[in-house]
Every structure is written in structure tokens, then in C-alpha cells.
Amino acid sequence: MSLLVVGSVAIDSVETPLGRAADVVGGAATYFALAASFFAPVRMVAAIGDDFPEQALSDLRERGVDLSGVERRPGTTLRWSGRYHEDMNVRDTLALDLGVFAAFQPLLPAAYRDSRFVFLANIDPRLQQAVLEQLPAPGIVGCDTMNHWILESRADLERLLQRVGILVINDEEARLLSGERNVVRAARRILTLGPKTILIKRGEYGVIQFSANSVFAVPAFPLEEVFDPTGAGDVFAGGFMGQLARSGDTSEAGLRRAIVYGSVMASFVVEDFSYRRLQTLTVEKMEQRYRQFVSLTDINGG
Amino acid sequence: MSLLVVGSVAIDSVETPLGRAADVVGGAATYFALAASFFAPVRMVAAIGDDFPEQALSDLRERGVDLSGVERRPGTTLRWSGRYHEDMNVRDTLALDLGVFAAFQPLLPAAYRDSRFVFLANIDPRLQQAVLEQLPAPGIVGCDTMNHWILESRADLERLLQRVGILVINDEEARLLSGERNVVRAARRILTLGPKTILIKRGEYGVIQFSANSVFAVPAFPLEEVFDPTGAGDVFAGGFMGQLARSGDTSEAGLRRAIVYGSVMASFVVEDFSYRRLQTLTVEKMEQRYRQFVSLTDINGG
């Protein structure tokens, strides 16, 4: 089943302890769409500027991503530059220029309106809400957010969360949203805000999922070299939602397998800058790492 | 099969964000022995001072721990006081007085010399070596260490590691010992120093095990309240080595199950100060949490 994503598309300049890349394509929607495209047809809603490279659009099209909801507007594409610390769980934003993204108003092509699987990547919660209002029958709604909206647009975010099934955030965001430092308490608190399921991303330590009756935790796939963590969380979400759309299985077991697929996809994207690693990735390699992941976590395995 | 532990016994004063406890019994050997006693007969080698409370010795005896290797010497017991940060993965040592521990020379009672399962808790690597020299046929040798010995007694530690089968350290120690920041590289490097298996403890994020042909990672059991993390690592080691001694199964699958038992025991001890929670714990409760742990990590479960 097809999967709709709305979110940012960006041009990034990134510096990590292992190297740097200037003016490479990034953005949550880009990373999400490319990862999800390994599982299901993806429809994308975003805004880009005059400066956005045609090559990146080709790359997305080549992976079958439907770009009819990507609007090119006069001006510059969102630009972000950041530097990762030696501890790559920590990064500093060096510059941010919203460009055409500042006036982004997501408008869904008519053909997108039957989307059943929807992911609202991190943008203003009012825009996320506006997307939902254009969808007559969204089935599974996943959502990300960030500290800025939690602090500055709390009421809008809380209104939105009542319509969100699966919230995908990182541990810092979970703490800020809940006011609880402990991850279990944070999740319990957030479950009262609407979502039936919370996925808390913990960087190199993996993901923990909470729902009313179940907790599931997986480590991240251990890698000898993390080249660039940019986009890992978005790629995780793309693999996760992609697998849900591919299988149609949103049972607890289906969610768990989808979390592992998300983790697998994230483990690939950090092996190179931007989305390069996803361009050479095959479904076969992906399924192979899925099996490695199962063995990595199997208490009775070995 | 019986399990020998050598290490510190201490009187601790601990402050956590949730409370404080003054002059409570701690020390790696104490925590290890109490946890391991749920699995196998434990033999303990340690030094205590005049001030060590008789009650704690009774508590250990009550759990079947053999104290014939615990030497009471004139002077004071090792005293440690520390304060945990809001982020309980971080703590400051406020005071440390080695007391009789400064002159500790482990001497094994004759009846201990047939021990097949041995755990060398964190003490001077020369003393750890001295213990091994008193054991004609140690089968499985586990070992912990700390930053101080890695920095100050590297040659002694490296000599010891050649005789260690399973090294159990935390992530910071693994980085320091290996000179590698990345956990996979760190483990690969440490495997060249002697141990066949490395367990790296990551606090609230669980444990990751490396051997030549296999990697296994488990999260920590998610708790709503961590009251006092003191001793969690030692209790983990006690549950881990205890389960190996109980089952006699040191295959990869046996190691994995033992890691889960260690994690289960650690998840209990942090629920209260000192070793209090282990005093009320039953084998039934332990096995119940083991099953919860399996379900927590089961990719096809739910």
C-alpha cells in the first residue's frame, strides 16, 4: 500500500570526525522517502527552491518516489549545516536558512488523498494537522516532532497528537514533551496525549517502543564505522513505516518487525554521507542484515 | 558448580536524585556474591575491618555464601561515598578511604582451590593474578577492572588478560583499554589481548557481547524508577557468572541466556539502596522477569 510523507527537503553541509560533505541533499522527507521506497510506493510532499539539484529529483524518481507533491518555488532550498562531536550522538547546528521552507503550505495532489499510511515528518504541527485534514481516511498516522515545536507550539502539537497513532521521537524530545527524565515514565505520560504507540529513538543505543500493553527494545546494529549520522532517525522512520505499508501488519509483532527494518535501514545510511549508501543498497543486502539483526538479538541464538 | 569471587567489600554512603543512604554495605564482591547466590554456591574472598557490621555477614551467610575466605583485619573497612547526577549514568566520588583493603592480599582457603568458575572483581591486577595462581584448574575466568588500573598498571593488566576468558567492563573502560571510541572496534582490539569474550556494560542501555564469531546485544530492562544504580554492574556479573555455574553451559547460547540473567538481577538491585532488594527477591520473581525480558526483546513476539 502506498505511503505518504510530508516534511523537509534540504541542502546540508555536514562535518563529522571522519570527514565533511558540502551542499549534499538531505532533509527528513528525502531520507524517509528513499528508505521507505525499499518497501512500498512512496508519495512525497515538500517544497524546494530554484537551487535544488535536478540530480536529487532523478535519484528519488529512480527509486519510484512520486514527486507530484513536491513544489518548486522561487527562492532557496532549506539549508542546514552542522558539526558532529567526537561522540556522534551530539551535534551543533552551525547555520540554518529556511528559504522556501519558511512559507511551506503542504498541498496534497488529488491522487494522494487515498493514502492509508501517512508519515508527518518534523515540521510545524499546524502544517502536520493541515495534511491530515486533506486526507479523508488516513489509516496509520506516524509523526515526528522536535524540541522547537514542543517548546513553542505545545497547544498545536497536543491537538495534533490526538490524531496520531504512532509517535516517533528521540529520547531528548520524549523527556521534553513529557517532563519526565525516566524513559518509561516519559512514554507512559505521552501515551495519555493520544498516540497508541511511542517509539523512542536512542541513537547508537537503539529504539524502545511503548504501547498500553507492551514494551519492546532493540539495540542499534553495531557498526565499526559511523560515517555520518545525519538522517538516521528519518531513515529509521522510513524503513519502519515502509515495512508497515508493505506488510499491512500493524499487530504488535508487525510493529516489532518494522522497528527492526527501520533499524536495519538506519544502519546502512550512516555508512556514508547524505543518502549515498541507499543508492547502492539492494533488497537482498537489506534482508541479509535483517537476518543478522535477528541473530544479534536472539537470546536463544548463537 | 561453585563459583569463587574475589573483590572489594565496602561501606558506602550514596546520594541519588531520589534519596540517600549512609553507611550501607556495598562493594563489588558483596553485590556479586548476593546476586550469584540465586544460582550457585558462592565462595567469597575479601578483607573487612573491625567496623564491618555482623548483620551483613549474616545476610551473606543466609544466602549460602561461603565466607571462609573473608578476612577480618584490624582497621576500617573500605569506605566509599558518591553522588549520582540527575542522569544516573554519571556519578562523582566524594570520598574514598581504602582502610584494610589497602593491604589486601587474597589468600584462598584450601577448600576453595577446586573452584572451576572464578570471578576477579575490580581490584589491582596483580592481586587478580595472585588469585589465579592459587587455582590449579580454573575453568571459566571472568574479570572486571577499572580506569585506574588501565592507566596505572597497564602491563600487569595485560599480563592478566592473557589468562582471562570473559572480560566484563563498562563502555568507558573499554574505550580507555582499547584506545578506540567505537564500541565494535574497541571490542575487536580487546579480543586480541586474550579474552575470548568481552561483555561491555552500557548502563541503562544494556550490554553488548563480542566474541570472535558473534555479537549479541540486549537492552537493559526498562524501569520506571531507578533508585540507586550502585552495584548494578557487579550484580550483573554475579547473575551472569552464577547462571554459567548453574547451567554449566558456556556455549554461545548459554552465554546469551546468562547475560539476560545478569541483566534481570541488575534490574532488581537498582530498585532500592544497597542490596536490600536482593533480600526480598525470590527465584520465582527472578524467573518471571526473565520471561518478561525475553518478551521485551523478542522480534517476533508481542
mmCIF file with all atom_site columns, all heavy atoms in Angstrom, chain A residues 186-207:
data_model
loop_
_atom_site.group_PDB
_atom_site.id
_atom_site.type_symbol
_atom_site.label_atom_id
_atom_site.label_alt_id
_atom_site.label_comp_id
_atom_site.label_asym_id
_atom_site.label_entity_id
_atom_site.label_seq_id
_atom_site.pdbx_PDB_ins_code
_atom_site.Cartn_x
_atom_site.Cartn_y
_atom_site.Cartn_z
_atom_site.occupancy
_atom_site.B_iso_or_equiv
_atom_site.pdbx_formal_charge
_atom_site.auth_seq_id
_atom_site.auth_comp_id
_atom_site.auth_asym_id
_atom_site.auth_atom_id
_atom_site.pdbx_PDB_model_num
ATOM 1   N N   . ALA A 1 186 ? 8.285  8.735  30.888 1.00 0.00 ? 186 ALA A N   1
ATOM 2   C CA  . ALA A 1 186 ? 8.065  9.654  29.771 1.00 0.00 ? 186 ALA A CA  1
ATOM 3   C C   . ALA A 1 186 ? 7.080  9.033  28.782 1.00 0.00 ? 186 ALA A C   1
ATOM 4   O O   . ALA A 1 186 ? 6.111  9.669  28.357 1.00 0.00 ? 186 ALA A O   1
ATOM 5   C CB  . ALA A 1 186 ? 9.392  9.967  29.079 1.00 0.00 ? 186 ALA A CB  1
ATOM 6   N N   . ALA A 1 187 ? 7.311  7.778  28.440 1.00 0.00 ? 187 ALA A N   1
ATOM 7   C CA  . ALA A 1 187 ? 6.441  7.116  27.470 1.00 0.00 ? 187 ALA A CA  1
ATOM 8   C C   . ALA A 1 187 ? 5.020  6.982  27.996 1.00 0.00 ? 187 ALA A C   1
ATOM 9   O O   . ALA A 1 187 ? 4.051  7.251  27.284 1.00 0.00 ? 187 ALA A O   1
ATOM 10  C CB  . ALA A 1 187 ? 7.014  5.748  27.127 1.00 0.00 ? 187 ALA A CB  1
ATOM 11  N N   . ARG A 1 188 ? 4.888  6.588  29.247 1.00 0.00 ? 188 ARG A N   1
ATOM 12  C CA  . ARG A 1 188 ? 3.541  6.445  29.846 1.00 0.00 ? 188 ARG A CA  1
ATOM 13  C C   . ARG A 1 188 ? 2.779  7.771  29.770 1.00 0.00 ? 188 ARG A C   1
ATOM 14  O O   . ARG A 1 188 ? 1.606  7.822  29.482 1.00 0.00 ? 188 ARG A O   1
ATOM 15  C CB  . ARG A 1 188 ? 3.643  6.010  31.309 1.00 0.00 ? 188 ARG A CB  1
ATOM 16  C CG  . ARG A 1 188 ? 4.262  4.659  31.515 1.00 0.00 ? 188 ARG A CG  1
ATOM 17  C CD  . ARG A 1 188 ? 3.244  3.525  31.541 1.00 0.00 ? 188 ARG A CD  1
ATOM 18  N NE  . ARG A 1 188 ? 3.910  2.245  31.454 1.00 0.00 ? 188 ARG A NE  1
ATOM 19  C CZ  . ARG A 1 188 ? 4.031  1.517  30.328 1.00 0.00 ? 188 ARG A CZ  1
ATOM 20  N NH1 . ARG A 1 188 ? 3.501  1.917  29.189 1.00 0.00 ? 188 ARG A NH1 1
ATOM 21  N NH2 . ARG A 1 188 ? 4.665  0.361  30.336 1.00 0.00 ? 188 ARG A NH2 1
ATOM 22  N N   . ARG A 1 189 ? 3.493  8.839  30.053 1.00 0.00 ? 189 ARG A N   1
ATOM 23  C CA  . ARG A 1 189 ? 2.876  10.173 30.038 1.00 0.00 ? 189 ARG A CA  1
ATOM 24  C C   . ARG A 1 189 ? 2.430  10.532 28.619 1.00 0.00 ? 189 ARG A C   1
ATOM 25  O O   . ARG A 1 189 ? 1.333  11.027 28.401 1.00 0.00 ? 189 ARG A O   1
ATOM 26  C CB  . ARG A 1 189 ? 3.924  11.166 30.565 1.00 0.00 ? 189 ARG A CB  1
ATOM 27  C CG  . ARG A 1 189 ? 3.538  12.622 30.536 1.00 0.00 ? 189 ARG A CG  1
ATOM 28  C CD  . ARG A 1 189 ? 2.747  13.048 31.753 1.00 0.00 ? 189 ARG A CD  1
ATOM 29  N NE  . ARG A 1 189 ? 2.157  14.373 31.528 1.00 0.00 ? 189 ARG A NE  1
ATOM 30  C CZ  . ARG A 1 189 ? 1.054  14.593 30.833 1.00 0.00 ? 189 ARG A CZ  1
ATOM 31  N NH1 . ARG A 1 189 ? 0.389  13.586 30.324 1.00 0.00 ? 189 ARG A NH1 1
ATOM 32  N NH2 . ARG A 1 189 ? 0.603  15.827 30.668 1.00 0.00 ? 189 ARG A NH2 1
ATOM 33  N N   . ILE A 1 190 ? 3.302  10.275 27.647 1.00 0.00 ? 190 ILE A N   1
ATOM 34  C CA  . ILE A 1 190 ? 2.997  10.645 26.266 1.00 0.00 ? 190 ILE A CA  1
ATOM 35  C C   . ILE A 1 190 ? 1.824  9.810  25.735 1.00 0.00 ? 190 ILE A C   1
ATOM 36  O O   . ILE A 1 190 ? 1.013  10.301 24.952 1.00 0.00 ? 190 ILE A O   1
ATOM 37  C CB  . ILE A 1 190 ? 4.259  10.504 25.374 1.00 0.00 ? 190 ILE A CB  1
ATOM 38  C CG1 . ILE A 1 190 ? 5.331  11.511 25.837 1.00 0.00 ? 190 ILE A CG1 1
ATOM 39  C CG2 . ILE A 1 190 ? 3.924  10.751 23.905 1.00 0.00 ? 190 ILE A CG2 1
ATOM 40  C CD1 . ILE A 1 190 ? 6.715  11.264 25.251 1.00 0.00 ? 190 ILE A CD1 1
ATOM 41  N N   . LEU A 1 191 ? 1.726  8.557  26.190 1.00 0.00 ? 191 LEU A N   1
ATOM 42  C CA  . LEU A 1 191 ? 0.591  7.718  25.745 1.00 0.00 ? 191 LEU A CA  1
ATOM 43  C C   . LEU A 1 191 ? -0.748 8.343  26.147 1.00 0.00 ? 191 LEU A C   1
ATOM 44  O O   . LEU A 1 191 ? -1.761 8.098  25.493 1.00 0.00 ? 191 LEU A O   1
ATOM 45  C CB  . LEU A 1 191 ? 0.703  6.305  26.331 1.00 0.00 ? 191 LEU A CB  1
ATOM 46  C CG  . LEU A 1 191 ? 1.747  5.382  25.672 1.00 0.00 ? 191 LEU A CG  1
ATOM 47  C CD1 . LEU A 1 191 ? 1.907  4.089  26.466 1.00 0.00 ? 191 LEU A CD1 1
ATOM 48  C CD2 . LEU A 1 191 ? 1.369  5.061  24.221 1.00 0.00 ? 191 LEU A CD2 1
ATOM 49  N N   . THR A 1 192 ? -0.767 9.160  27.183 1.00 0.00 ? 192 THR A N   1
ATOM 50  C CA  . THR A 1 192 ? -2.030 9.796  27.587 1.00 0.00 ? 192 THR A CA  1
ATOM 51  C C   . THR A 1 192 ? -2.385 10.958 26.662 1.00 0.00 ? 192 THR A C   1
ATOM 52  O O   . THR A 1 192 ? -3.493 11.485 26.722 1.00 0.00 ? 192 THR A O   1
ATOM 53  C CB  . THR A 1 192 ? -1.961 10.357 29.037 1.00 0.00 ? 192 THR A CB  1
ATOM 54  O OG1 . THR A 1 192 ? -1.028 11.446 29.065 1.00 0.00 ? 192 THR A OG1 1
ATOM 55  C CG2 . THR A 1 192 ? -1.522 9.289  30.025 1.00 0.00 ? 192 THR A CG2 1
ATOM 56  N N   . LEU A 1 193 ? -1.447 11.375 25.809 1.00 0.00 ? 193 LEU A N   1
ATOM 57  C CA  . LEU A 1 193 ? -1.706 12.516 24.920 1.00 0.00 ? 193 LEU A CA  1
ATOM 58  C C   . LEU A 1 193 ? -2.363 12.103 23.602 1.00 0.00 ? 193 LEU A C   1
ATOM 59  O O   . LEU A 1 193 ? -2.712 12.968 22.795 1.00 0.00 ? 193 LEU A O   1
ATOM 60  C CB  . LEU A 1 193 ? -0.395 13.260 24.612 1.00 0.00 ? 193 LEU A CB  1
ATOM 61  C CG  . LEU A 1 193 ? 0.350  13.864 25.809 1.00 0.00 ? 193 LEU A CG  1
ATOM 62  C CD1 . LEU A 1 193 ? 1.653  14.504 25.347 1.00 0.00 ? 193 LEU A CD1 1
ATOM 63  C CD2 . LEU A 1 193 ? -0.507 14.889 26.546 1.00 0.00 ? 193 LEU A CD2 1
ATOM 64  N N   . GLY A 1 194 ? -2.492 10.816 23.373 1.00 0.00 ? 194 GLY A N   1
ATOM 65  C CA  . GLY A 1 194 ? -3.167 10.402 22.146 1.00 0.00 ? 194 GLY A CA  1
ATOM 66  C C   . GLY A 1 194 ? -2.571 9.203  21.442 1.00 0.00 ? 194 GLY A C   1
ATOM 67  O O   . GLY A 1 194 ? -3.290 8.252  21.125 1.00 0.00 ? 194 GLY A O   1
ATOM 68  N N   . PRO A 1 195 ? -1.268 9.236  21.139 1.00 0.00 ? 195 PRO A N   1
ATOM 69  C CA  . PRO A 1 195 ? -0.693 8.119  20.374 1.00 0.00 ? 195 PRO A CA  1
ATOM 70  C C   . PRO A 1 195 ? -0.896 6.773  21.079 1.00 0.00 ? 195 PRO A C   1
ATOM 71  O O   . PRO A 1 195 ? -0.806 6.688  22.298 1.00 0.00 ? 195 PRO A O   1
ATOM 72  C CB  . PRO A 1 195 ? 0.798  8.479  20.298 1.00 0.00 ? 195 PRO A CB  1
ATOM 73  C CG  . PRO A 1 195 ? 0.848  9.954  20.475 1.00 0.00 ? 195 PRO A CG  1
ATOM 74  C CD  . PRO A 1 195 ? -0.274 10.286 21.411 1.00 0.00 ? 195 PRO A CD  1
ATOM 75  N N   . LYS A 1 196 ? -1.163 5.749  20.271 1.00 0.00 ? 196 LYS A N   1
ATOM 76  C CA  . LYS A 1 196 ? -1.306 4.394  20.819 1.00 0.00 ? 196 LYS A CA  1
ATOM 77  C C   . LYS A 1 196 ? 0.068  3.754  21.010 1.00 0.00 ? 196 LYS A C   1
ATOM 78  O O   . LYS A 1 196 ? 0.218  2.828  21.796 1.00 0.00 ? 196 LYS A O   1
ATOM 79  C CB  . LYS A 1 196 ? -2.090 3.507  19.830 1.00 0.00 ? 196 LYS A CB  1
ATOM 80  C CG  . LYS A 1 196 ? -3.521 3.913  19.618 1.00 0.00 ? 196 LYS A CG  1
ATOM 81  C CD  . LYS A 1 196 ? -4.423 3.082  20.524 1.00 0.00 ? 196 LYS A CD  1
ATOM 82  C CE  . LYS A 1 196 ? -5.888 3.507  20.371 1.00 0.00 ? 196 LYS A CE  1
ATOM 83  N NZ  . LYS A 1 196 ? -6.089 4.932  20.781 1.00 0.00 ? 196 LYS A NZ  1
ATOM 84  N N   . THR A 1 197 ? 1.032  4.255  20.242 1.00 0.00 ? 197 THR A N   1
ATOM 85  C CA  . THR A 1 197 ? 2.374  3.677  20.262 1.00 0.00 ? 197 THR A CA  1
ATOM 86  C C   . THR A 1 197 ? 3.404  4.802  20.242 1.00 0.00 ? 197 THR A C   1
ATOM 87  O O   . THR A 1 197 ? 3.241  5.767  19.490 1.00 0.00 ? 197 THR A O   1
ATOM 88  C CB  . THR A 1 197 ? 2.571  2.789  19.006 1.00 0.00 ? 197 THR A CB  1
ATOM 89  O OG1 . THR A 1 197 ? 1.548  1.791  18.985 1.00 0.00 ? 197 THR A OG1 1
ATOM 90  C CG2 . THR A 1 197 ? 3.926  2.117  19.001 1.00 0.00 ? 197 THR A CG2 1
ATOM 91  N N   . ILE A 1 198 ? 4.423  4.671  21.082 1.00 0.00 ? 198 ILE A N   1
ATOM 92  C CA  . ILE A 1 198 ? 5.534  5.639  21.081 1.00 0.00 ? 198 ILE A CA  1
ATOM 93  C C   . ILE A 1 198 ? 6.803  4.880  20.754 1.00 0.00 ? 198 ILE A C   1
ATOM 94  O O   . ILE A 1 198 ? 7.114  3.888  21.415 1.00 0.00 ? 198 ILE A O   1
ATOM 95  C CB  . ILE A 1 198 ? 5.774  6.268  22.474 1.00 0.00 ? 198 ILE A CB  1
ATOM 96  C CG1 . ILE A 1 198 ? 4.501  6.566  23.202 1.00 0.00 ? 198 ILE A CG1 1
ATOM 97  C CG2 . ILE A 1 198 ? 6.702  7.465  22.366 1.00 0.00 ? 198 ILE A CG2 1
ATOM 98  C CD1 . ILE A 1 198 ? 3.778  7.743  22.715 1.00 0.00 ? 198 ILE A CD1 1
ATOM 99  N N   . LEU A 1 199 ? 7.533  5.366  19.785 1.00 0.00 ? 199 LEU A N   1
ATOM 100 C CA  . LEU A 1 199 ? 8.866  4.828  19.505 1.00 0.00 ? 199 LEU A CA  1
ATOM 101 C C   . LEU A 1 199 ? 9.873  5.879  19.935 1.00 0.00 ? 199 LEU A C   1
ATOM 102 O O   . LEU A 1 199 ? 9.846  7.005  19.415 1.00 0.00 ? 199 LEU A O   1
ATOM 103 C CB  . LEU A 1 199 ? 9.043  4.562  18.012 1.00 0.00 ? 199 LEU A CB  1
ATOM 104 C CG  . LEU A 1 199 ? 8.679  3.169  17.508 1.00 0.00 ? 199 LEU A CG  1
ATOM 105 C CD1 . LEU A 1 199 ? 7.223  2.885  17.756 1.00 0.00 ? 199 LEU A CD1 1
ATOM 106 C CD2 . LEU A 1 199 ? 9.004  3.065  16.036 1.00 0.00 ? 199 LEU A CD2 1
ATOM 107 N N   . ILE A 1 200 ? 10.754 5.512  20.841 1.00 0.00 ? 200 ILE A N   1
ATOM 108 C CA  . ILE A 1 200 ? 11.778 6.454  21.284 1.00 0.00 ? 200 ILE A CA  1
ATOM 109 C C   . ILE A 1 200 ? 13.129 6.010  20.731 1.00 0.00 ? 200 ILE A C   1
ATOM 110 O O   . ILE A 1 200 ? 13.599 4.919  21.013 1.00 0.00 ? 200 ILE A O   1
ATOM 111 C CB  . ILE A 1 200 ? 11.793 6.576  22.820 1.00 0.00 ? 200 ILE A CB  1
ATOM 112 C CG1 . ILE A 1 200 ? 10.424 7.091  23.290 1.00 0.00 ? 200 ILE A CG1 1
ATOM 113 C CG2 . ILE A 1 200 ? 12.913 7.515  23.276 1.00 0.00 ? 200 ILE A CG2 1
ATOM 114 C CD1 . ILE A 1 200 ? 10.272 7.227  24.792 1.00 0.00 ? 200 ILE A CD1 1
ATOM 115 N N   . LYS A 1 201 ? 13.696 6.910  19.910 1.00 0.00 ? 201 LYS A N   1
ATOM 116 C CA  . LYS A 1 201 ? 14.974 6.625  19.263 1.00 0.00 ? 201 LYS A CA  1
ATOM 117 C C   . LYS A 1 201 ? 16.098 7.025  20.211 1.00 0.00 ? 201 LYS A C   1
ATOM 118 O O   . LYS A 1 201 ? 16.092 8.132  20.737 1.00 0.00 ? 201 LYS A O   1
ATOM 119 C CB  . LYS A 1 201 ? 15.086 7.423  17.955 1.00 0.00 ? 201 LYS A CB  1
ATOM 120 C CG  . LYS A 1 201 ? 14.013 7.067  16.935 1.00 0.00 ? 201 LYS A CG  1
ATOM 121 C CD  . LYS A 1 201 ? 14.088 7.976  15.688 1.00 0.00 ? 201 LYS A CD  1
ATOM 122 C CE  . LYS A 1 201 ? 13.536 9.374  15.987 1.00 0.00 ? 201 LYS A CE  1
ATOM 123 N NZ  . LYS A 1 201 ? 13.504 10.246 14.785 1.00 0.00 ? 201 LYS A NZ  1
ATOM 124 N N   . ARG A 1 202 ? 17.076 6.133  20.405 1.00 0.00 ? 202 ARG A N   1
ATOM 125 C CA  . ARG A 1 202 ? 18.169 6.411  21.326 1.00 0.00 ? 202 ARG A CA  1
ATOM 126 C C   . ARG A 1 202 ? 19.534 6.355  20.637 1.00 0.00 ? 202 ARG A C   1
ATOM 127 O O   . ARG A 1 202 ? 20.521 5.952  21.234 1.00 0.00 ? 202 ARG A O   1
ATOM 128 C CB  . ARG A 1 202 ? 18.113 5.432  22.501 1.00 0.00 ? 202 ARG A CB  1
ATOM 129 C CG  . ARG A 1 202 ? 16.736 5.439  23.172 1.00 0.00 ? 202 ARG A CG  1
ATOM 130 C CD  . ARG A 1 202 ? 16.771 4.870  24.557 1.00 0.00 ? 202 ARG A CD  1
ATOM 131 N NE  . ARG A 1 202 ? 16.630 3.439  24.586 1.00 0.00 ? 202 ARG A NE  1
ATOM 132 C CZ  . ARG A 1 202 ? 16.574 2.714  25.703 1.00 0.00 ? 202 ARG A CZ  1
ATOM 133 N NH1 . ARG A 1 202 ? 16.640 3.321  26.882 1.00 0.00 ? 202 ARG A NH1 1
ATOM 134 N NH2 . ARG A 1 202 ? 16.427 1.419  25.667 1.00 0.00 ? 202 ARG A NH2 1
ATOM 135 N N   . GLY A 1 203 ? 19.547 6.783  19.368 1.00 0.00 ? 203 GLY A N   1
ATOM 136 C CA  . GLY A 1 203 ? 20.831 6.873  18.655 1.00 0.00 ? 203 GLY A CA  1
ATOM 137 C C   . GLY A 1 203 ? 21.529 5.526  18.611 1.00 0.00 ? 203 GLY A C   1
ATOM 138 O O   . GLY A 1 203 ? 20.927 4.514  18.270 1.00 0.00 ? 203 GLY A O   1
ATOM 139 N N   . GLU A 1 204 ? 22.806 5.519  18.964 1.00 0.00 ? 204 GLU A N   1
ATOM 140 C CA  . GLU A 1 204 ? 23.577 4.285  18.871 1.00 0.00 ? 204 GLU A CA  1
ATOM 141 C C   . GLU A 1 204 ? 23.090 3.197  19.838 1.00 0.00 ? 204 GLU A C   1
ATOM 142 O O   . GLU A 1 204 ? 23.568 2.069  19.771 1.00 0.00 ? 204 GLU A O   1
ATOM 143 C CB  . GLU A 1 204 ? 25.068 4.556  19.119 1.00 0.00 ? 204 GLU A CB  1
ATOM 144 C CG  . GLU A 1 204 ? 25.396 4.918  20.544 1.00 0.00 ? 204 GLU A CG  1
ATOM 145 C CD  . GLU A 1 204 ? 26.907 4.969  20.813 1.00 0.00 ? 204 GLU A CD  1
ATOM 146 O OE1 . GLU A 1 204 ? 27.586 3.931  20.769 1.00 0.00 ? 204 GLU A OE1 1
ATOM 147 O OE2 . GLU A 1 204 ? 27.387 6.077  21.068 1.00 0.00 ? 204 GLU A OE2 1
ATOM 148 N N   . TYR A 1 205 ? 22.159 3.549  20.735 1.00 0.00 ? 205 TYR A N   1
ATOM 149 C CA  . TYR A 1 205 ? 21.647 2.557  21.682 1.00 0.00 ? 205 TYR A CA  1
ATOM 150 C C   . TYR A 1 205 ? 20.336 1.922  21.237 1.00 0.00 ? 205 TYR A C   1
ATOM 151 O O   . TYR A 1 205 ? 19.770 1.101  21.947 1.00 0.00 ? 205 TYR A O   1
ATOM 152 C CB  . TYR A 1 205 ? 21.503 3.170  23.078 1.00 0.00 ? 205 TYR A CB  1
ATOM 153 C CG  . TYR A 1 205 ? 22.820 3.688  23.593 1.00 0.00 ? 205 TYR A CG  1
ATOM 154 C CD1 . TYR A 1 205 ? 23.047 5.047  23.781 1.00 0.00 ? 205 TYR A CD1 1
ATOM 155 C CD2 . TYR A 1 205 ? 23.863 2.806  23.858 1.00 0.00 ? 205 TYR A CD2 1
ATOM 156 C CE1 . TYR A 1 205 ? 24.270 5.514  24.235 1.00 0.00 ? 205 TYR A CE1 1
ATOM 157 C CE2 . TYR A 1 205 ? 25.092 3.265  24.312 1.00 0.00 ? 205 TYR A CE2 1
ATOM 158 C CZ  . TYR A 1 205 ? 25.286 4.619  24.495 1.00 0.00 ? 205 TYR A CZ  1
ATOM 159 O OH  . TYR A 1 205 ? 26.503 5.075  24.935 1.00 0.00 ? 205 TYR A OH  1
ATOM 160 N N   . GLY A 1 206 ? 19.835 2.318  20.077 1.00 0.00 ? 206 GLY A N   1
ATOM 161 C CA  . GLY A 1 206 ? 18.680 1.628  19.548 1.00 0.00 ? 206 GLY A CA  1
ATOM 162 C C   . GLY A 1 206 ? 17.360 2.336  19.780 1.00 0.00 ? 206 GLY A C   1
ATOM 163 O O   . GLY A 1 206 ? 17.301 3.569  19.887 1.00 0.00 ? 206 GLY A O   1
ATOM 164 N N   . VAL A 1 207 ? 16.304 1.545  19.876 1.00 0.00 ? 207 VAL A N   1
ATOM 165 C CA  . VAL A 1 207 ? 14.945 2.068  19.907 1.00 0.00 ? 207 VAL A CA  1
ATOM 166 C C   . VAL A 1 207 ? 14.166 1.313  20.970 1.00 0.00 ? 207 VAL A C   1
ATOM 167 O O   . VAL A 1 207 ? 14.366 0.119  21.166 1.00 0.00 ? 207 VAL A O   1
ATOM 168 C CB  . VAL A 1 207 ? 14.270 1.849  18.529 1.00 0.00 ? 207 VAL A CB  1
ATOM 169 C CG1 . VAL A 1 207 ? 12.804 2.267  18.566 1.00 0.00 ? 207 VAL A CG1 1
ATOM 170 C CG2 . VAL A 1 207 ? 15.013 2.627  17.444 1.00 0.00 ? 207 VAL A CG2 1
#
